[in-house]
Amino acid sequence: MKVGVFSCKSYDREFFNNRNHNYGYELEFLDCALTPETALLTKPFDAISVFVDDIVNREVLDTLKESGIHHIALRCSGFNNIDLEYAKEIGIGVSRVPRYSPESVAEHTIALILALDRRLFKAYSRVVDNNFELEGLLGFNLANKKIGVIGTGAIGQALIKILLGFGCRVLCNDINPSDQIKSLGCDYVSLQDLIKNADVITLHCPLTAESQHLIDHEAVQNMKDGVMLINTSRGGLVNTKALLAGLKSNKIGYLGIDMYEMESELLNHDLLCEKVDDDIYQRLATFPNVLITGHQGFFTRESMIQVTDTTLSNLQYFFAGKICAETFLN
């Protein structure tokens, strides 16, 4: 069976080629993203695999149907970039990778928190210039700080276990509270109470129509002065203009993001988020108390192995005429 792998990077090729010996697919790697303009490239394939920035709207789905594509294997957990209802309507199956090394994102979150708190980039730049002055590098202890974790799924739970090791008091918010997290002594509170009381707020929930701009102007204004805000989930959870306003007023004292709201405007498209001009991103990047990474949170060897194996396994289910309840979306 021939599978087209869109938005492919060198590391995708490495891991898919290394793991494909268990499956024997004919894989063709395409550097380009799947868009209305590139959708015709799917004609030679029996199925395709896409990533978070590929566009799978009605126009693309119609082209896939005409090309004889009956399955799309997402290499990610999120699926806001695909019109899932229309895919089901026209008979195109969709699978995803719901879990991949939650520790990788949790640990990246901790890395952002510590780098911002201890101003590691500024400190490193000084030492490189033989400047060992400590002025302006004062940090704070994580021990006894209130850390607000919004979203206590697999990643949120992995993060909470790390935070408890630092001696933090963890405040949680989720529409489905976890008994396991409660048993660890963590409190579930309303979103409003979490935003009002947390010294550090970190986001670990999916992007949906309901959660888009969960952090907006009002939320920022209700935060503690000098709060640290971390987003290693999806960019659209926060209103970037609200972040800028909070940074300018010093309401937000530290900002760490692995996802920019309109990051796909820098690459392809993001269907769910409203338009934000690129100069807003450029302005955001000028703040010395902002640390931005580019979808790096998941990027560990362990995570890539799990993403690859799950994607190939999903394709195996499809070609065998079966479904996997955990990973198939329709």
Side-chain angles (χ1 to χ4, degrees), residues 16 19-20 22-23 25 71 73 95-97 305-320 322-324 327-328:
F16 270 92
R19 311 298 289 186
N20 189 42
N22 293 323
Y23 300 89
Y25 300 127
H71 192 81
S95 60
R96 64 170 180 149
V97 183
I305 289 173
Q306 192 165 0
V307 167
T308 305
D309 283 350
T310 303
T311 301
L312 291 170
S313 177
N314 285 338
L315 289 166
Q316 185 178 54
Y317 271 103
F318 163 68
F319 288 128
K322 302 177 181 179
I323 63 170
C324 174
T327 60
F328 278 53

Side-chain angles (χ1 to χ4, degrees), residues 122-289:
K122 186 175 183 180
Y124 174 74
S125 297
R126 284 187 183 182
V127 171
V128 168
D129 291 332
N130 296 322
N131 177 357
F132 302 94
E133 176 61 58
L134 296 181
E135 192 73 34
L137 300 181
L138 187 66
F140 60 83
N141 289 355
L142 278 179
N144 299 314
K145 290 296 184 294
K146 293 179 181 178
I147 314 296
V149 179
I150 301 176
T152 56
I155 294 171
Q157 290 182 31
L159 174 65
I160 288 167
K161 292 174 184 176
I162 298 172
L163 291 171
L164 292 175
F166 276 94
C168 301
R169 178 184 171 188
V170 180
L171 305 177
C172 304
N173 177 264
D174 198 301
I175 57 175
N176 296 305
S178 164
D179 290 337
Q180 180 183 7
I181 294 303
K182 289 180 181 178
S183 71
L184 295 175
C186 300
D187 298 322
Y188 275 90
V189 299
S190 69
L191 181 61
Q192 292 75 18
D193 284 345
L194 184 151
I195 287 172
K196 180 180 178 181
N197 293 301
D199 301 297
V200 178
I201 298 172
T202 178
L203 304 175
H204 302 283
C205 49
L207 177 60
T208 65
E210 290 74 28
S211 65
Q212 186 179 14
H213 288 181
L214 185 72
I215 303 300
D216 56 12
H217 287 278
E218 181 180 0
V220 170
Q221 288 306 306
N222 288 331
M223 293 175 184
K224 279 188 174 183
D225 291 341
V227 68
M228 179 185 290
L229 179 63
I230 305 291
N231 184 15
T232 54
S233 192
R234 298 308 299 267
L237 293 172
V238 298
N239 182 321
T240 309
K241 291 180 180 179
L243 295 184
L244 281 175
L247 288 163
K248 289 177 182 178
S249 67
N250 294 318
K251 173 64 76 169
I252 298 176
Y254 315 79
L255 176 66
I257 55 175
D258 192 42
M259 315 285 180
Y260 167 58
E261 181 182 3
M262 289 302 293
E263 62 194 355
S264 52
E265 284 295 310
L266 306 176
L267 302 171
N268 302 305
H269 300 282
D270 187 341
L271 301 179
L272 191 56
C273 302
E274 67 184 25
K275 180 156 180 63
V276 178
D277 294 332
D278 281 350
D279 61 353
I280 292 180
Y281 167 76
Q282 298 297 334
R283 180 73 183 93
L284 190 66
T286 64
F287 286 88
N289 54 342

Side-chain angles (χ1 to χ4, degrees), residues 97-117:
V97 183
R99 297 173 64 92
Y100 46 90
S101 184
E103 292 79 12
S104 63
V105 181
E107 290 170 11
H108 190 74
T109 300
I110 292 294
L112 291 175
I113 292 173
L114 291 176
L116 285 164
D117 171 21

